[in-house]
């Protein structure tokens, strides 16, 4: 155990975590030259295409230092805020972190919030400045920012270039010297924390864990504490680039276990594994509960696929513990799920993963939050989606959820943040300077305004230098209306939205314009209308595709042409009455991406 080190790499998005992980694996010869490629730990196609890490990955590195063999367990983490739950789980399995800062960009918001997660877990922090070989590297300024943030000495900060491999040896030495070896009692009953799991169609569910006490051997009878179910350990081992079976995994190690579990409900991330003979199983203090920010409905394109979609959602939840879902029905779309996501990027990734990994084509509804409607007869109704909204005639008032938002940023962005928050119906409660370069703003805001694109806008307005946190403070009366989208007079309930009256007209107009771009043209004219109740507040028209029926008439009497045109006109009229408009999936997604 003395020679084991468990660590992870945390940083803002695009500061070079995956590249540093590549170099660490290459220098220690964990990976042969043949297996080497960029972002070697990112095994999803999506991660490579977008250049981001979505899942945290664990891998074991063997390294010889001063004649001794060391085992380093590296857990690579995502940098985007939507996947911060992945980061918090990775930190629970480590004793130390590499805090990576890009020399060209300095400390950014996600660096700070990930750092606070590490401090809460009481981990050893090794600051590393990356990309020092770049032309725009501001090494001294970045050093000052790190010293101010974590109060370390200048000589504690390591300089490196993950791309060229410069300084990576020094990082490996610092990991061995500074990060403490895992503590634990190898002779105590087994106690292992589950920090991740994946579904394999041949082997069942593969569970990743970190052993805090005891030893896990192949063939042991193990028990998952929260469900109380017992299994046999068919295979245990450590994580190299692929799974590496062993006869036992000891205290302090990070490993995997295969027990042939097929049911996704039986494995919970944050659960504890112990041996079945242990009379007093102690739960390890796991992770904080995940807090979804955006809710949306996910429906199969054909209702026959519902059961298959349910299986896929269970398997996806295994791989992504921050996804929450429950059953929902819709008039237009049939049976589906009401899902909670951590943000818009998270939602987009889940949808793409369903399509790529499980071949599920799904329809996503407009994201929203829950409201409380008070009817005139004294009844209160929880409104989770627009179809549950009672008739305005029978509704006395509607309450919407409010939150208290805390935004930390640089002083030069105060104006932009104020404009954004006040434009989103926010009320400024407090403004205070934490240091000369960091200011904290506290707002009360409706949760509805945050769901759509608030976070993305906050990032772009502050160039990424803003961290944002919130907690609910209850419901307040508000003028919320239901806005319907009509195509040729028929409502499309998946495009309905609950929105503040002051926003309805502007939102309706932008939505109609967007749908006009995205809906395919038909042989007949399509009217797109946005309506609140019976009042139409916006309209766009998609003109019909027209075949030139007079092309064959060269010269001759005008009445021949007119006769053909009249005949075409009648046909178009009839077609419009019976034709229905197919709404493509992009149109549902477009609602989410309406730019101001």
């Amino acid at each position: 155990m003395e020679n084991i080190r468990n660590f992870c790499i945390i940083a803002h998005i695009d500061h070079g975590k995956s590249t540093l992980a590549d170099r660490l694996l290459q220098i220690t010869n964990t990976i042969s030259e043949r297996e080497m490629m960029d972002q070697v730990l990112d095994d999803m196609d999506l991660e490579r295409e977008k250049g981001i890490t979505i899942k945290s990955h664990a891998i074991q590195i063997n390294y010889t230092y001063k004649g001794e063999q060391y085992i380093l367990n590296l857990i690579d983490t995502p940098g985007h805020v939507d996947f911060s739950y992945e980061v918090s789980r990775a930190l629970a399995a480590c004793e130390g972190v590499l805090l990576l800062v890009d020399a060209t960009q300095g400390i950014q918001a996600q660096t700070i919030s990930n750092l606070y997660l590490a401090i809460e877990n009481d981990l050893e922090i090794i600051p590393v400045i990356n990309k020092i070989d770049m032309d725009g590297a501001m090494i001294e300024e970045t050093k000052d920012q790190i010293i101010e943030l974590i109060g370390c000495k200048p000589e504690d900060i390591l300089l490196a270039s993950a791309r060229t491999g410069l300084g990576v040896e020094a990082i490996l030495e610092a990991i061995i010297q500074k990060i403490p070896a895992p503590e634990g009692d190898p002779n105590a009953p087994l106690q292992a924390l589950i920090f991740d799991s994946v579904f394999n169609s041949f082997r069942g569910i593969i569970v990743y864990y970190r052993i805090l006490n005891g030893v896990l051997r192949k063939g042991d009878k193990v028990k998952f504490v929260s469900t109380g179910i017992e299994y046999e350990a068919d295979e245990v081992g450590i994580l190299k680039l692929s799974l590496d079976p062993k006869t036992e995994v000891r205290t302090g190690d990070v490993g995997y276990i295969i027990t042939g579990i097929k049911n996704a409900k039986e494995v919970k991330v944050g659960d504890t594994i112990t041996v079945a003979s242990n009379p007093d199983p102690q739960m390890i203090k796991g992770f904080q509960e995940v807090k979804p920010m955006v809710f949306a409905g996910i429906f199969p394109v054909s209702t026959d696929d519902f059961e298959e979609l349910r299986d896929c959602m269970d398997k996806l939840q295994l791989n992504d513990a921050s996804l929450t879902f429950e059953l929902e029905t819709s008039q237009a779309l049939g049976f589906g799920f009401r899902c909670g996501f951590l943000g818009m990027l998270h939602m987009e990734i889940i949808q793409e993963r369903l399509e790529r990994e499980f071949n599920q084509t799904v329809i996503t509804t407009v994201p929203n939050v829950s409201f409380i409607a008070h009817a005139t007869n004294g009844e209160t109704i929880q409104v989770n989606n627009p179809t549950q909204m009672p008739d305005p005639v029978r509704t006395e008032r509607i309450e919407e959820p409010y939150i208290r938002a805390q935004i930390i940023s640089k002083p030069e962005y105060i104006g932009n943040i104020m404009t954004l928050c006040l434009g989103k119906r926010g009320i400024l409660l407090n403004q205070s300077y934490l240091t000369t370069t960091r200011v904290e703003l506290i707002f009360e805001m409706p949760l509805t305004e945050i769901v759509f694109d608030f976070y993305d806008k906050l990032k772009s307005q502050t160039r990424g230098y803003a961290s944002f946190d919130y907690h609910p403070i209850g419901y307040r009366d508000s003028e919320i209306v239901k806005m319907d989208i009509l195509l040729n007079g028929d409502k499309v309930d998946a495009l309905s939205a609950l929105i503040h009256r002051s926003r309805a007209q502007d939102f309706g107009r932008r939505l109609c314009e967007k749908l006009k771009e995205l809906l395919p043209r038909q042989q007949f004219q399509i009217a797109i209308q946005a309506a609140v109740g019976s009042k139409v507040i916006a309209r766009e028209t998609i003109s019909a595709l027209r075949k030139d029926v007079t092309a064959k008439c060269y010269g001759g009497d005008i009445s021949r042409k007119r006769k053909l045109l009249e005949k075409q006109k009648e046909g178009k009229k009839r077609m419009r009455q019976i034709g229905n408009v197919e709404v493509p999936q992009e149109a549902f997604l477009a609602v989410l991406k309406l730019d101001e």
Side-chain angles (χ1 to χ4, degrees):
M1 266 176 60
E2 282 300 308
N3 290 8
I4 297 176
R5 302 286 183 272
N6 296 318
F7 71 101
C8 61
I9 308 175
I10 56 173
H12 191 79
I13 190 166
D14 204 23
H15 278 207
K17 286 182 304 304
S18 298
T19 315
L20 179 61
D22 291 352
R23 283 304 84 72
L24 290 171
L25 298 178
Q26 202 175 11
I27 285 179
T28 54
N29 297 324
T30 305
I31 288 180
S32 65
E33 287 301 323
R34 190 172 58 80
E35 295 170 308
M36 193 61 217
M37 57 181 169
D38 284 348
Q39 285 181 266
V40 70
L41 290 181
D42 294 348
D43 49 13
M44 264 187 256
D45 294 343
L46 263 177
E47 294 180 312
R48 299 188 173 287
E49 282 168 29
K50 293 182 181 284
I52 58 174
T53 304
I54 294 167
K55 282 282 308 151
S56 53
H57 295 271
I59 189 164
Q60 191 173 97
I61 300 171
N62 295 87
Y63 182 62
T64 309
Y65 174 66
K66 292 188 177 170
E68 281 194 58
Q69 276 287 329
Y70 284 87
I71 294 172
L72 313 178
N73 290 311
L74 156 67
I75 303 177
D76 185 24
T77 62
H80 195 283
V81 63
D82 280 11
F83 307 113
S84 57
Y85 189 57
E86 286 281 333
V87 180
S88 72
R89 301 200 328 257
L91 293 174
C94 293
E95 275 85 30
V97 295
L98 295 180
L99 176 72
L100 201 61
V101 182
D102 185 336
T104 60
Q105 298 179 51
I107 283 188
Q108 294 191 306
Q110 204 49 39
T111 319
I112 296 170
S113 52
N114 282 345
L115 174 71
Y116 286 156
L117 281 175
I119 292 171
E120 273 170 36
N121 285 347
D122 204 18
L123 303 184
E124 179 65 40
I125 294 159
I126 301 176
V128 179
I129 298 179
N130 190 21
K131 306 191 187 179
I132 57 168
D133 59 325
M134 302 270 285
D135 292 341
M138 309 173 294
I139 297 170
E140 291 309 315
E141 288 96 317
T142 312
K143 267 190 183 176
D144 293 344
Q145 289 177 11
I146 293 175
I147 291 165
E148 194 172 324
L149 186 66
I150 60 176
C152 63
K153 298 188 181 76
E155 57 271 21
D156 292 345
I157 300 172
L158 303 175
L159 302 180
S161 163
R163 194 165 52 92
T164 60
L166 181 70
V168 176
E169 289 276 1
I171 293 175
L172 284 164
E173 288 173 18
I175 290 167
I176 290 168
Q177 289 165 3
K178 294 186 180 174
I179 294 178
E183 292 174 5
D185 181 358
N187 303 316
L190 174 68
Q191 228 189 0
L193 173 72
I194 299 176
F195 67 88
D196 209 351
S197 54
V198 289
F199 184 81
N200 180 311
S201 43
F202 303 108
R203 315 284 311 264
I205 292 161
I206 302 172
V207 176
Y208 297 160
Y209 54 82
R210 151 80 198 277
I211 297 187
L212 298 185
N213 291 309
V215 178
L216 176 58
R217 295 182 179 85
K218 185 177 177 177
D220 274 357
K221 275 277 257 204
V222 295
K223 178 173 166 185
F224 286 25
V225 178
S226 71
T227 57
I229 307 174
E230 297 182 5
Y231 308 95
E232 189 165 315
D234 297 340
E235 184 182 306
V236 298
I238 56 167
L239 300 155
K240 290 286 194 182
L241 194 55
S242 53
L243 305 177
D244 186 3
K246 298 279 184 206
T247 51
E248 61 176 31
V249 184
R250 305 185 66 78
T251 308
D253 258 335
V254 173
Y256 73 91
I257 178 172
I258 298 174
T259 56
I261 305 172
K262 288 284 190 283
N263 182 358
K265 295 267 187 296
E266 292 174 26
V267 177
K268 290 188 173 67
V269 166
D271 195 358
T272 303
I273 305 175
T274 184
V275 280
S277 56
N278 183 3
D280 178 29
Q282 294 290 319
M283 274 291 274
I284 301 165
K285 192 169 85 51
F287 326 106
Q288 54 201 30
E289 275 298 296
V290 56
K291 187 164 58 173
M293 291 182 89
V294 177
F295 296 92
I298 284 188
F299 294 86
V301 172
S302 142
T303 43
D304 302 344
D305 299 339
F306 172 71
E307 282 302 324
E308 197 182 331
L309 179 64
R310 178 192 293 211
D311 282 350
C312 297
M313 294 292 281
D314 280 341
K315 288 172 188 171
L316 198 54
Q317 193 176 30
L318 267 180
N319 207 328
D320 185 348
S322 46
L323 170 69
T324 56
F325 62 88
E326 56 191 38
L327 287 175
E328 183 183 46
T329 53
S330 149
Q331 291 169 350
L333 301 168
F335 288 102
F337 297 98
R338 183 105 202 124
C339 303
F341 305 98
L342 297 182
M344 298 304 272
L345 176 70
H346 187 210
M347 177 170 156
E348 198 180 306
I349 296 287
I350 291 289
Q351 198 172 330
E352 283 199 39
R353 286 185 67 182
L354 279 170
E355 287 186 12
R356 289 188 188 199
E357 294 172 30
F358 302 102
N359 293 326
Q360 291 289 319
T361 315
V362 292
I363 293 169
T364 314
T365 61
V366 183
N368 63 358
V369 300
S370 352
F371 300 93
I372 294 176
H374 295 270
T376 44
N377 61 2
E379 192 186 351
T380 58
I381 303 157
Q382 182 92 18
V383 181
N384 283 328
N385 62 5
T387 48
Q388 297 171 331
M389 184 79 156
D391 190 16
V393 183
R394 295 190 299 107
T395 313
E396 188 181 306
R397 62 196 173 88
I398 295 174
E399 295 181 342
E400 67 173 328
Y402 265 71
I403 57 154
R404 184 186 175 95
Q406 172 200 34
I407 298 169
I408 297 174
S409 184
K410 287 186 155 190
E412 57 258 42
Y413 301 118
I414 290 178
N416 295 0
I417 295 171
M418 291 273 204
T419 312
L420 175 66
C421 294
L422 297 176
K424 297 274 187 191
R425 299 191 282 135
I427 304 157
L428 179 65
L429 295 184
N430 192 10
Q431 171 182 337
S432 58
Y433 281 83
L434 303 174
T435 66
T436 50
T437 54
R438 290 177 70 211
V439 61
E440 177 187 55
L441 301 166
I442 292 176
F443 287 91
E444 279 184 0
M445 298 170 79
L447 185 56
T448 333
E449 299 287 348
I450 284 178
V451 163
F452 261 137
D453 49 5
F454 176 79
Y455 206 84
D456 301 340
K457 290 231 169 70
L458 179 67
K459 285 287 180 206
S460 55
Q461 295 281 2
T462 59
R463 299 190 188 168
Y465 278 103
S467 53
F468 167 69
D469 193 24
Y470 78 96
H471 55 265
I473 52 171
Y475 285 78
R476 297 182 186 178
D477 285 1
S478 187
E479 269 200 276
I480 298 291
V481 292
K482 178 184 173 189
M483 188 185 77
D484 293 307
I485 295 291
L486 311 170
L487 295 180
N488 280 348
D490 296 332
K491 283 185 185 175
V492 183
D493 76 345
L495 287 175
S496 299
L498 297 169
I499 194 161
H500 195 262
R501 192 182 291 279
S502 62
R503 290 288 164 86
Q505 190 163 1
D506 176 47
F507 184 73
R509 191 170 60 245
R510 294 207 327 261
L511 187 48
C512 289
E513 285 166 5
K514 195 78 176 177
L515 287 172
K516 184 179 179 181
E517 289 170 28
L518 290 165
L519 290 179
R521 284 174 71 186
Q522 307 283 354
Q523 297 280 348
F524 52 91
Q525 190 184 51
I526 303 172
I528 305 168
Q529 295 167 306
V532 171
S534 55
K535 183 184 175 190
V536 174
I537 53 173
R539 174 183 169 132
E540 291 286 339
T541 309
I542 299 178
S543 52
L545 279 172
R546 200 171 150 271
K547 183 181 168 190
D548 190 359
V549 286
T550 58
K552 60 185 182 224
C553 299
Y554 292 104
D557 187 8
I558 184 72
S559 59
R560 285 177 64 208
K561 291 187 179 179
R562 193 165 290 141
K563 183 178 160 192
L564 287 166
L565 289 168
E566 285 298 320
K567 193 173 168 189
Q568 184 188 31
K569 192 173 167 186
E570 282 303 310
K572 292 249 187 249
K573 202 170 180 180
R574 200 162 57 250
M575 206 188 279
R576 183 171 176 186
Q577 283 165 354
I578 60 164
N580 67 346
V581 185
E582 281 292 309
V583 183
Q585 172 65 15
E586 291 83 63
F588 292 109
L589 270 180
V591 186
L592 325 181
K593 294 190 177 160
L594 280 179
D595 291 316
E596 292 279 328

